[in-house]
Amino acid sequence: MAGNTIQFDGRRKFCKNMLAIGAAASAAVLISGCAFSETSQFASAFTDLSGRHFIGWFDHNGNMLGRVEIPERAHDLTYCGKNKTLFAFSRRPGNKLYVIDINAGAIKKQLLSSVGQHFYGHGVLTESGDFLYTTENRFDKSYQAYEGVIVVRNTTTYAIEAEFLSGGVGPHQLALMNQGNTIVVANGGIHTHPASPRTKLNIESMKPNISYLDTVSGKLMGSFSPPNNQLSTRHLCVSNDDKVYVGCQYQGAKHHTQPLIFSHKLSDESELEALNTELNTWRVFNQYTASLAIDPMNKRLAVTSPRGGVISYWDTQTDSLLEVTKQRDCAGIASSNGQFMGSTGRGDLILQDKRKVRLKKHQLKWDNHMIHMV
């Protein structure tokens, strides 16, 4: 498809690399959703009270099992069970990706983004763990808003196997659909530049979307936008039946209220649909969502809103609101077998089942994302 041509690295990788990636991904799913038990482990980035940055992992009771210091703040993580490593992605506009050996409790490898690119804080592994997909941004001195890219790396040699366009500007979180031959990415639509990383350069003209891409060819299979062009599509998750849930951050006027969480199924060829609740409910989110997680056992979706100080829970059968609970400075959330583990920027680890239980309070600040490792 025009405008979505595959980009290969300087050594001109052949199509067989992409076919190998597609074969490895053909049965791929995100590494999540395992049983929440006494052997369960979770991981998150955090910053201690002196300002040092870490990757930490902990058990089902919130007890810290290990931590590794890293030079800069990380954002999201993904876990590779094949070689017991965590991949930690720099926050936008960082250019480092850390490979953490959890057995050794050390940085195994530090990878750099390609010249003229930076990370957007997210990545996803194939189920085999052989290939890692990351969202990245191209930039130069012109301040032109380039379309984002998906970069595919081999997790044995860490070589870049291929790159393809993400389907929009500002790609953030991405996920593999359950059949493994399609990737979905939330393109936030906001143009930024490392020279002024927190300046939003195109708020009026931004074009957010979620895009579906073929994992072998990089072909754009479909692109769908929210009803308001200032609803920046940032984070997402995928249910067992391939329904995509995407959380937005509204960039419009402070007094405006917009739905912030949408669902979509590529097979339905429909538009993004806002989840069902009253307009007054959306106001409590303060125009912002952070992390999403699905509990497939009880068919629930959980979404954190740090700015609103709430965690919302939704019925994934009807896409309707179940409850909103207050949680000051909530951050990451992960699901497993009927329960959710949540974190806060105040150091709390919280188990949410039929009742909310604070498991531990650590002297640190958890980042906005958490993963369930095993």
Side-chain angles (χ1 to χ4, degrees), residues 36 53 126 147-148 177 187 190 203 211 232 255 342 345 362 373:
F36 190 78
H53 307 299
T126 56
E147 188 169 330
M177 309 299 283
N187 291 296
I190 300 175
I203 292 300
S211 291
S232 181
H255 65 278
H362 297 274
M373 293 166 54

Side-chain angles (χ1 to χ4, degrees), residues 87-333:
F87 291 89
F89 311 102
S90 295
R91 293 177 63 86
R92 173 182 64 83
N95 67 341
K96 297 181 180 64
L97 190 167
Y98 301 97
V99 186
I100 308 294
D101 184 330
I102 63 170
N103 288 332
I107 298 174
K108 179 179 180 180
K109 189 81 173 177
Q110 177 179 289
L111 307 177
L112 296 177
S113 57
S114 298
V115 175
Q117 292 181 193
H118 67 73
F119 291 110
Y120 260 102
H122 294 278
V124 65
L125 286 160
T126 56
E127 187 180 30
S128 66
D130 292 334
F131 297 98
L132 173 70
Y133 295 81
T134 58
T135 49
E136 300 187 26
N137 183 58
R138 293 189 294 167
F139 65 93
D140 59 27
K141 293 181 180 179
S142 73
Y143 273 71
Q144 179 178 341
Y146 291 106
E147 188 169 330
V149 294
I150 307 300
V151 180
V152 187
R153 289 176 174 81
N154 185 303
T155 59
T156 299
T157 64
Y158 304 110
I160 294 177
E161 302 289 350
E163 297 183 0
F164 44 85
L165 298 178
S166 71
V169 172
H172 282 259
Q173 194 162 19
L174 72 172
L176 288 167
M177 309 299 283
N178 289 296
Q179 293 302 313
N181 56 5
T182 305
I183 198 165
V184 59
V185 56
N187 291 296
I190 300 175
H191 171 40
T192 59
H193 193 281
S196 184
R198 296 300 160 186
T199 302
K200 300 168 184 178
L201 301 172
N202 67 332
I203 292 300
E204 296 302 321
S205 62
M206 58 185 283
K207 297 179 180 179
N209 68 55
I210 63 168
S211 291
Y212 298 86
L213 308 170
D214 183 275
T215 56
V216 177
S217 67
K219 179 181 178 181
L220 180 65
M221 302 170 65
S223 183
F224 302 86
S225 298
N228 185 299
N229 80 302
Q230 292 184 322
L231 282 166
S232 181
T233 46
R234 297 295 186 96
H235 301 110
L236 52 75
C237 60
V238 179
S239 70
N240 286 344
D241 63 349
D242 275 341
K243 181 184 284 188
V244 177
Y245 289 93
V246 58
C248 298
Q249 297 172 7
Y250 184 57
Q251 305 299 313
K254 295 295 185 182
H255 65 278
H256 289 174
T257 301
Q258 295 283 341
L260 296 174
I261 309 168
F262 295 81
S263 66
H264 187 262
K265 292 196 77 170
L266 179 61
S267 59
D268 292 344
E269 298 183 355
S270 59
E271 298 303 313
L272 297 183
E273 294 187 8
L275 270 56
N276 302 313
T277 190
E278 301 295 328
L279 192 63
N280 283 338
T281 303
W282 292 118
R283 290 194 177 99
V284 305
F285 289 78
N286 198 13
Q287 303 183 327
Y288 193 93
T289 64
S291 296
L292 295 84
I294 286 181
D295 158 32
M297 170 173 283
N298 289 328
K299 299 179 174 59
R300 293 181 300 161
L301 169 74
V303 183
T304 66
S305 174
R307 291 185 184 175
V310 296
I311 304 175
S312 60
Y313 298 90
W314 307 80
D315 184 332
T316 58
Q317 298 299 102
T318 62
D319 283 356
S320 57
L321 182 68
L322 293 171
E323 64 175 325
V324 176
T325 64
K326 292 183 179 180
Q327 185 57 63
R328 184 177 178 184
D329 202 11
C330 54
I333 197 157

Side-chain angles (χ1 to χ4, degrees), residues 10-26:
R11 292 174 292 171
R12 304 296 298 172
K13 299 292 184 181
F14 294 100
C15 289
K16 64 182 181 180
N17 284 336
M18 290 305 295
L19 293 173
I21 293 169
S26 62

Side-chain angles (χ1 to χ4, degrees), residues 61-86:
N61 286 321
N63 298 309
M64 194 75 78
L65 300 175
R67 66 178 69 190
V68 173
E69 186 171 1
I70 56 175
E72 60 186 324
R73 187 178 173 189
H75 192 54
D76 202 5
L77 313 171
T78 190
Y79 175 67
C80 183
K82 179 183 72 169
N83 49 22
K84 303 296 188 294
T85 55
L86 282 165

Side-chain angles (χ1 to χ4, degrees), residues 36 295-298 300 335-340 352-354:
F36 190 78
D295 158 32
M297 170 173 283
N298 289 328
R300 293 181 300 161
S335 67
S336 181
N337 198 22
Q339 297 174 321
F340 291 100
Q352 179 79 38
D353 188 6
K354 293 182 179 179

